C-alpha cells in the first residue's frame, strides 16, 4: 500500500463535506404511514393534522427518528464517489479489515420535518482510530458525521461510528489441509467417508499401508482391500507444538498406530492430554467429517 | 413535569421475522442481513436481525408513549451492543436522569436474551 490507513483517513477527512445528496422523495405521508405501522408508534402528530396542531406544529410532522430514512440509498444503492464512508471502507477492506459492526448512532434534531419538504444529506469523515484490539478482532473505529438540510437550513445531524475489523480466524473446512487422493489412495478416502478404514491387500494376499500402485492387477478393476476392525496401539507419536497448522489447535498429538491387522497408520490422537500418551496405549479409529468431500481418520484412546 | 428518578413503563417487543423485515423495509434499509436468513447465516449471524434505524425509532416511540404527543425530541444517542435476532424479545426500560431548563434527559436500556442491545440517552423538551 502506497498510503497508510491514517494518511488515507486524513486525506478523506480533509476533503470535508460531500456534495449534497437529495433524498428520493420529499417528506411524505405514505412513507410515514409505513414507518409508524412497522414501528408500532401511535403518536398522532405523525398522521393527524389536528393532533399535530394541538401539539404546536404547523401540521403533520415526520417522526424525528426518520431523519435518515429520507436519504437511504434504497434497494439498488450506489455510493457517490465522494461518499467518505464508502471511501474509507474500501481502503480498510483492502487492508484486510473486511467485517463491519455499528457501535454508535447519535442523532440530533434541530426541528421536525413537515410534509413536502425536500431533504439533502452531506457527510464528512471524522476520527479514524486504530488499530485496536477488540473482542471481535483487530479493527478501526470510523466516525462519520451526517447533516441533513432543507435548503440551506441544517435540520438534523448524526454521528455514526462503526468498527471495521478483521474477524478472528475460525476453523473452516476450506482452510483444512486436504490430502491429495490419487488413483492408488482413492479407495482409502472413499472408505473414510462411509466410516470404513480400508487396508490395501497386495498380490500375495498380505496387507499394506500406505497403499502402493497395484501394478499386478487390471487398473480398471477396483483396488483390493480389507476393512480394518479399527483398533490398535500407539507404536510411536509426536506432540506438535509449533508451527501453527490450519484447522488444528496447538498442541496436538500425531500417532503412528499399529493396527490389529498388522499395518501402521498415521493420524491425530484426539481427546487426550499429550502428557498421558505412551507407546502401547490402546486406541481405536474415529472419523472426523470435514465436509461432503473429506472425512479424516483419527484415533481416540480405548476406555 | 418529569422528575429525576421517574421510571418509564416497560415496553416489550418480540421481533418475529415479520417485524424484522417490515421495519427494515419501512426504514428503506435493504441490507440482506435484515430480510434474508440464508445470507445472514452465511455472513456469520445466527439469523436475520433488527436494523439500527428501527432501534432509534423504537427508542423514540418508547419515550413519547410515556411523555405524550406534545413533547419535542432533541436527540437520541444510541450505543449498540449485542444483536437482536429474529424471535428474540427486547425489553425497553427507562429512567429520567436529568431535568434542567425544561429539558428532560431519559436513559434507556434495551436488553434481549444475549444482553444489552441498546444503551441510549434521549433529550426532550
Amino acid at each position: 500500500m502506497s498510503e497508510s490507513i491514517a494518511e488515507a483517513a486524513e486525506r478523506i477527512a480533509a476533503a470535508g463535506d460531500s456534495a449534497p445528496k437529495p433524498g428520493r422523495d420529499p417528506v411524505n405521508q405514505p412513507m410515514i404511514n409505513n414507518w409508524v405501522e412497522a414501528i408500532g408508534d401511535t403518536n398522532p402528530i405523525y398522521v393527524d393534522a389536528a393532533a399535530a396542531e394541538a401539539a404546536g406544529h404547523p401540521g403533520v410532522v415526520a417522526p424525528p427518528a426518520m431523519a435518515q430514512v429520507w436519504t437511504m440509498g434504497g434497494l439498488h444503492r450506489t455510493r457517490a464517489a465522494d461518499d467518505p464512508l464508502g471511501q474509507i471502507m474500501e481502503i480498510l477492506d483492502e487492508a484486510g479489515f473486511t467485517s463491519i459492526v455499528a457501535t454508535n448512532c447519535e442523532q440530533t434534531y434541530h426541528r421536525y420535518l413537515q410534509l413536502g419538504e425536500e431533504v439533502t444529506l452531506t457527510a464528512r469523515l471524522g476520527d479514524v482510530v486504530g488499530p485496536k484490539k477488540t473482542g471481535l478482532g483487530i479493527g478501526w473505529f470510523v466516525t462519520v458525521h451526517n447533516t441533513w438540510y432543507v435548503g440551506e437550513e441544517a435540520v438534523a445531524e448524526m454521528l455514526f461510528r462503526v468498527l471495521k475489523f478483521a474477524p478472528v480466524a475460525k476453523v473452516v473446512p476450506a482452510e483444512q489441509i486436504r490430502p491429495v487422493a490419487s488413483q492408488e489412495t482413492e479407495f482409502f478416502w472413499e472408505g473414510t467417508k462411509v466410516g470404513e478404514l480400508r487396508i490395501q491387500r497386495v498380490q500375495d494376499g498380505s496387507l499394506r499401508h500406505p497403499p502402493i500402485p497395484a501394478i499386478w492387477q487390471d487398473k480398471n478393476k477396483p483396488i483390493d482391500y480389507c476393512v480394518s476392525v479399527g483398533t490398535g496401539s500407539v507404536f510411536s507419536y509426536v506432540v506438535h507444538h509449533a508451527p501453527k497448522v490450519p484447522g488444528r489447535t496447538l498442541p496436538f498429538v500425531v500417532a503412528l498406530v499399529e493396527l490389529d491387522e498388522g499395518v501402521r497408520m498415521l493420524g491425530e490422537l484426539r481427546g487426550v492430554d499429550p502428557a498421558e500418551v505412551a507407546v502401547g496405549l490402546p486406541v481405536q479409529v474415529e472419523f472426523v467429517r470435514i465436509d461432503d468431500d473429506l472425512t479424516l481418520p483419527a484415533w481416540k484412546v480405548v476406555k | 413535569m418529569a422528575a429525576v428518578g421517574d421510571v418509564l413503563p416497560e415496553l416489550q417487543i418480540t421481533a418475529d421475522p415479520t417485524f424484522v423485515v417490515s421495519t427494515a423495509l419501512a426504514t428503506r434499509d435493504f441490507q440482506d442481513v435484515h430480510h434474508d436468513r440464508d445470507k445472514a447465516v452465511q455472513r456469520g449471524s445466527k439469523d436475520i436481525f433488527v436494523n439500527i434505524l428501527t432501534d432509534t425509532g423504537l427508542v423514540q416511540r418508547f419515550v413519547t408513549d410515556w411523555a405524550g404527543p406534545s413533547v419535542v425530541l432533541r436527540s437520541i444517542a444510541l450505543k449498540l451492543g449485542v444483536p437482536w435476532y429474529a424471535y428474540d424479545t427486547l425489553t425497553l426500560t427507562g429512567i429520567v436522569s436529568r431535568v434542567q431548563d425544561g429539558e428532560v434527559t431519559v436513559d434507556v436500556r434495551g436488553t434481549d436474551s444475549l444482553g444489552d442491545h441498546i444503551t441510549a440517552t434521549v433529550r426532550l423538551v
Side-chain angles (χ1 to χ4, degrees), chain A residues 125-137:
Chain A
L125 186 63
D127 290 341
V128 176
V129 179
K132 294 267 187 195
K133 203 172 168 183
T134 76
L136 295 167

Side-chain angles (χ1 to χ4, degrees), chain A residues 24 31 34-35 38-41 43 45-46 55 63-65 68 72 74-75 102-109 112, chain B residues 19 22-23 26-30 52-54 56-58 60-61 64 69-70 72-80:
Chain A
R24 185 187 65 175
M31 278 173 62
N34 282 339
W35 192 93
I39 298 289
D41 196 327
N43 190 337
I45 66 171
Y46 310 134
Q68 195 183 355
M72 286 291 280
L75 182 54
T103 64
N104 299 77
C105 174
E106 302 180 8
Q107 298 188 344
T108 304
Y109 315 113
Y112 283 21
Chain B
F19 179 85
S22 60
T23 52
T27 53
R28 299 198 73 232
D29 184 344
F30 296 89
I52 299 163
L53 286 83
T54 299
T56 308
L58 288 175
Q60 173 201 273
R61 168 190 160 187
T64 55
S70 61
V72 172
L73 298 199
R74 282 191 168 160
S75 67
I76 300 175
L78 296 185
K79 214 170 92 187
L80 300 155

Side-chain angles (χ1 to χ4, degrees), chain B:
Chain B
M1 190 62 191
V4 171
D6 283 0
V7 174
L8 281 63
E10 194 175 285
L11 175 64
Q12 283 202 333
I13 294 162
T14 298
D16 62 11
T18 302
F19 179 85
V20 179
V21 175
S22 60
T23 52
L25 300 192
T27 53
R28 299 198 73 232
D29 184 344
F30 296 89
Q31 300 270 352
D32 53 32
V33 289
H34 304 308
H35 64 256
D36 187 327
R37 185 187 204 168
D38 290 345
K39 286 182 184 162
V41 169
Q42 268 174 30
R43 294 180 194 281
S45 295
K46 197 182 86 178
D47 205 326
I48 55 170
F49 54 91
V50 174
N51 76 343
I52 299 163
L53 286 83
T54 299
D55 290 331
T56 308
L58 288 175
V59 170
Q60 173 201 273
R61 168 190 160 187
F62 174 62
V63 170
T64 55
D65 279 356
W66 161 76
S70 61
V71 297
V72 172
L73 298 199
R74 282 191 168 160
S75 67
I76 300 175
L78 296 185
K79 214 170 92 187
L80 300 155
V82 297
W84 179 13
Y85 288 120
Y87 300 105
D88 204 353
T89 298
L90 186 79
T91 303
L92 286 164
T93 57
I95 185 165
V96 175
S97 61
R98 190 163 181 257
V99 180
Q100 195 172 0
D101 303 330
E103 185 182 270
V104 177
T105 304
V106 183
D107 291 345
V108 177
R109 266 180 75 191
T111 55
D112 62 26
S113 70
L114 301 176
D116 281 343
H117 170 61
I118 296 171
T119 310
T121 306
V122 182
R123 292 187 303 122
L124 54 102
V125 289

Side-chain angles (χ1 to χ4, degrees), chain A:
Chain A
M1 205 186 311
S2 56
E3 182 185 39
S4 73
I5 289 167
E7 286 163 354
E10 210 169 300
R11 171 176 57 78
I12 297 164
D17 280 328
S18 60
K21 185 184 117 184
R24 185 187 65 175
D25 303 298
V27 173
N28 67 85
Q29 193 67 61
M31 278 173 62
I32 293 172
N33 289 344
N34 282 339
W35 192 93
V36 296
E37 194 175 2
I39 298 289
D41 196 327
T42 55
N43 190 337
I45 66 171
Y46 310 134
V47 293
D48 177 354
E53 282 158 25
H57 300 287
V60 165
V61 287
M66 276 187 84
Q68 195 183 355
V69 175
W70 306 112
T71 53
M72 286 291 280
L75 182 54
H76 304 293
R77 73 177 301 164
T78 49
R79 284 189 186 277
D82 70 343
D83 174 29
L85 188 60
Q87 291 179 67
I88 191 74
M89 290 299 107
E90 200 174 302
I91 285 156
L92 288 166
D93 273 329
E94 279 170 15
F97 302 98
T98 52
S99 293
I100 187 167
V101 62
T103 64
N104 299 77
C105 174
E106 302 180 8
Q107 298 188 344
T108 304
Y109 315 113
H110 299 308
R111 69 165 174 85
Y112 283 21
L113 293 171
Q114 290 149 39
L115 297 180
E117 289 192 301
E118 306 253 8
V119 179
T120 59
L121 166 65
T122 66
R124 68 182 164 81
L125 186 63
D127 290 341
V128 176
V129 179
K132 294 267 187 195
K133 203 172 168 183
T134 76
L136 295 167
I138 294 183
W140 293 72
F141 287 94
V142 175
T143 304
V144 174
H145 299 276
N146 285 1
T147 307
W148 286 275
Y149 290 89
V150 172
E152 300 291 307
E153 181 193 6
V155 290
E157 290 174 49
M158 178 171 75
L159 173 155
F160 191 64
R161 185 171 296 133
V162 299
L163 170 65
K164 187 82 174 137
F165 63 100
V168 177
K170 280 189 281 186
V171 174
V172 290
E175 286 174 359
Q176 190 76 35
I177 294 176
R178 307 179 82 89
V180 178
S182 64
Q183 197 181 342
E184 289 78 46
T185 61
E186 195 181 359
F187 80 96
F188 178 82
W189 298 112
E190 286 305 310
T192 58
K193 276 189 221 175
V194 295
E196 292 182 355
L197 200 58
R198 295 174 178 175
I199 307 170
Q200 185 183 29
R201 198 188 317 267
V202 296
Q203 199 170 17
D204 66 3
S206 64
L207 299 174
R208 175 163 183 122
H209 188 86
I212 54 169
I215 51 171
W216 59 89
Q217 66 171 81
D218 181 345
K219 68 176 181 191
N220 295 316
K221 292 221 171 116
I223 288 190
D224 194 16
Y225 63 81
C226 85
V227 175
S228 166
V229 295
T231 50
S233 61
V234 172
F235 181 79
S236 179
Y237 69 96
V238 293
V239 179
H240 183 97
H241 292 276
K244 283 185 199 167
V245 178
R248 303 248 189 257
T249 308
L250 298 177
F252 61 90
V253 180
V254 180
L256 181 63
V257 167
E258 185 158 281
L259 288 167
D260 294 346
E261 288 83 2
V263 301
R264 294 174 194 153
M265 197 179 287
L266 276 170
E268 183 181 359
L269 176 54
R270 291 151 45 99
V272 65
D273 180 348
E276 287 172 19
V277 182
V279 169
L281 187 69
V283 297
Q284 67 185 83
V285 73
E286 64 176 340
F287 295 97
V288 181
R289 187 182 178 281
I290 305 299
D291 56 26
D292 287 346
D293 296 318
L294 177 62
T295 297
L296 294 173
W299 313 113
K300 63 181 176 185
V301 178
V302 175
K303 298 287 178 193

